């Protein structure tokens, strides 16, 4: 019961936080920039990423929904993997956006125009879903002739592999290759972008220029570190290795904690978002004051 309450609170905060980010960007013209366009995509993804697993996990903990059909379990696996891959690509795109903004500021507006932003976002979503389609197709064809109880709160790859009674070499190899391509390619783009960003920042003579450049990257860099740290642990391993308990802990961090932290990280570490949030709060408070005065 205590875990169900904790998961419920974290889920509600995650939804509210990410919806608030999207609403802030939409209602404040000063945030209508490529960086916040990609942030909205990330927030939208986080809403559905956590929704794909947390409500079911809460039902399992409460004992009200402790069964899942083969098809629904497979769909949950597909959406979790696809949205996880999409997040990797979106974070890489956001790093590339920061590279253009800091290393090519005079050409940034022409290079990162609205059409190119939309193309990058669309490519991230398409690549994320296509990258996992073959892997999920292979897993769906595995024979299952033993127990049908998953020792987890979500349908992850290791759970399927543990229950299968077939030769798993092809599936485990495909899992490793697919994860390696998605994680390492997106991570490489992010690392290379930040190498150029850091080298450019070091050449900025004024301390104020340093602070402005770092402030635009610090939130994204924090999210990248948290996300890739857990993603690399989860997926870049050759086999399940019977580490279910450790996998559960990392899955909780990846599917619940990270989507919850992202809105707060971008709010607390980003000056423009904090200013927009402050204006919104002041507007709401002034509205309440007007209503109170008129009622009197």
């Amino acid at each position: 019961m205590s875990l169900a309450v904790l998961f419920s609170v974290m889920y509600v905060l995650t939804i509210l936080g990410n919806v608030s980010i999207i609403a802030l960007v939409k209602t404040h013209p000063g945030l209508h920039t490529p960086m916040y366009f990609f942030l909205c995509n990330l927030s939208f993804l986080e809403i559905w990423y956590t929704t794909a697993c947390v409500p079911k996990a809460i039902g399992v903990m409460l004992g009200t929904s402790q069964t899942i059909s083969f098809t629904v379990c497979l769909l949950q696996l597909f959406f979790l993997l696809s949205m996880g891959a999409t997040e990797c690509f979106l974070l890489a795109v956001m790093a590339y956006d920061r590279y253009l903004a800091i290393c090519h500021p005079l050409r940034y507006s022409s290079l990162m125009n609205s059409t190119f932003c939309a193309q990058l976002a669309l490519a991230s979503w398409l690549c994320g879903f296509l990258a996992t389609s073959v892997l999920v197709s292979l897993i769906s064809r595995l024979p299952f002739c033993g127990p049908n109880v998953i020792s987890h709160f979500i349908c992850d790859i290791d759970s399927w592999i543990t229950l299968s009674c077939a030769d798993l070499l092809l599936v485990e190899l495909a899992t490793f290759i697919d994860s390696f391509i998605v994680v390492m390619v997106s991570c490489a783009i992010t690392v290379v972008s930040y190498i150029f960003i850091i080298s450019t920042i070091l050449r900025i003579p004024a301390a104020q220029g340093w602070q402005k450049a770092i402030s635009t990257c610090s939130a994204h860099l924090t999210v990248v570190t948290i996300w890739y740290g857990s993603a690399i642990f989860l997926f870049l391993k050759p086999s399940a290795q019977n580490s279910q308990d450790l996998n559960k802990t990392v899955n909780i961090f990846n599917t619940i904690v990270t989507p919850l932290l992202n809105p707060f990280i971008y709010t607390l570490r980003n000056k423009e978002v904090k200013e927009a949030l402050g204006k919104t709060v002041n507007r709401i408070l002034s509205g309440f004051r007007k209503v109170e005065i008129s009622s009197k």
Side-chain angles (χ1 to χ4, degrees):
M1 181 62 71
S2 58
L3 277 176
V5 171
L6 179 62
F7 273 45
S8 299
V9 171
M10 295 176 73
Y11 177 65
V12 171
L13 289 175
T14 299
I15 300 299
L16 289 176
N18 284 288
V19 168
S20 297
I21 291 288
I22 296 172
L24 274 177
V25 174
K26 184 174 178 61
T27 56
H28 288 80
L31 299 180
H32 292 176
T33 62
M35 180 173 73
Y36 295 108
F37 170 74
F38 295 127
L39 178 57
C40 282
N41 274 267
L42 184 64
S43 293
F44 180 77
L45 181 143
E46 297 286 25
I47 292 170
W48 293 107
Y49 186 59
T50 191
T51 300
C53 63
V54 175
K56 180 63 180 178
I58 294 171
V60 171
M61 293 171 190
L62 293 175
T64 58
S65 179
Q66 292 185 311
T67 60
I68 188 169
S69 68
F70 181 90
T71 303
V72 174
C73 192
L74 192 66
L75 282 173
Q76 187 185 63
L77 174 68
F78 173 68
F79 281 111
L80 286 175
L81 291 179
S82 298
M83 286 186 283
T86 302
E87 180 150 355
C88 288
F89 292 127
L90 277 175
L91 290 174
V93 166
M94 293 172 77
Y96 178 68
D97 170 68
R98 292 300 82 207
Y99 156 74
L100 289 180
I102 294 173
C103 300
H104 303 282
L106 298 180
R107 300 172 57 201
Y108 176 68
S109 298
S110 59
L111 291 172
M112 193 61 74
N113 54 57
S114 57
T115 302
F116 189 48
C117 287
Q119 290 172 345
L120 286 175
L122 181 60
S124 298
W125 284 91
L126 287 177
C127 290
F129 276 78
L130 291 175
T132 58
S133 298
V134 175
L135 177 59
V136 174
S137 177
L138 287 173
I139 293 174
S140 68
R141 296 175 185 176
L142 289 173
F144 301 93
C145 48
N148 62 346
V149 178
I150 293 176
S151 180
H152 210 317
F153 63 90
I154 60 172
C155 296
D156 70 337
I157 293 178
D158 287 347
S159 300
W160 285 81
I161 289 175
T162 302
L163 295 181
S164 177
C165 54
D167 182 10
L168 301 172
L169 179 62
L170 179 60
V171 172
E172 290 189 337
L173 182 62
T175 301
F176 181 80
I177 293 173
D178 187 63
S179 303
F180 185 86
I181 292 173
V182 170
V183 176
M184 297 312 294
V185 168
S186 59
C187 190
I189 294 171
T190 303
V191 169
V192 171
S193 296
Y194 272 103
I195 289 173
F196 282 106
I197 288 171
I198 292 171
S199 64
T200 301
I201 290 175
L202 292 176
R203 293 197 299 268
I204 298 175
Q208 187 177 2
W210 274 47
Q211 293 174 355
K212 185 177 180 181
I214 292 173
S215 67
T216 62
C217 300
S218 59
H220 177 258
L221 194 56
T222 304
V223 171
V224 164
T225 303
I226 295 172
W227 173 256
Y228 281 114
S230 53
I232 288 173
F233 173 84
L234 275 175
F235 300 118
L236 296 189
K237 48 190 199 316
S239 66
Q241 296 176 344
N242 297 320
S243 55
Q244 285 287 333
D245 290 337
L246 188 57
N247 283 351
K248 287 177 192 175
T249 303
V250 180
N251 270 130
I252 289 173
F253 198 80
N254 224 26
T255 58
I256 302 173
V257 178
T258 302
L260 171 64
L261 290 178
N262 284 356
F264 295 100
I265 291 171
Y266 277 103
T267 302
L268 297 175
R269 298 184 68 89
N270 193 296
K271 182 179 178 181
E272 293 172 324
V273 176
K274 283 194 289 186
E275 288 178 353
L277 183 62
K279 290 178 182 178
T280 301
V281 172
N282 289 332
R283 193 182 307 158
I284 294 172
L285 291 176
S286 64
F288 280 127
R289 292 192 195 102
K290 290 179 181 178
V291 170
E292 186 179 351
I293 292 171
S294 62
S295 62
K296 287 180 180 179

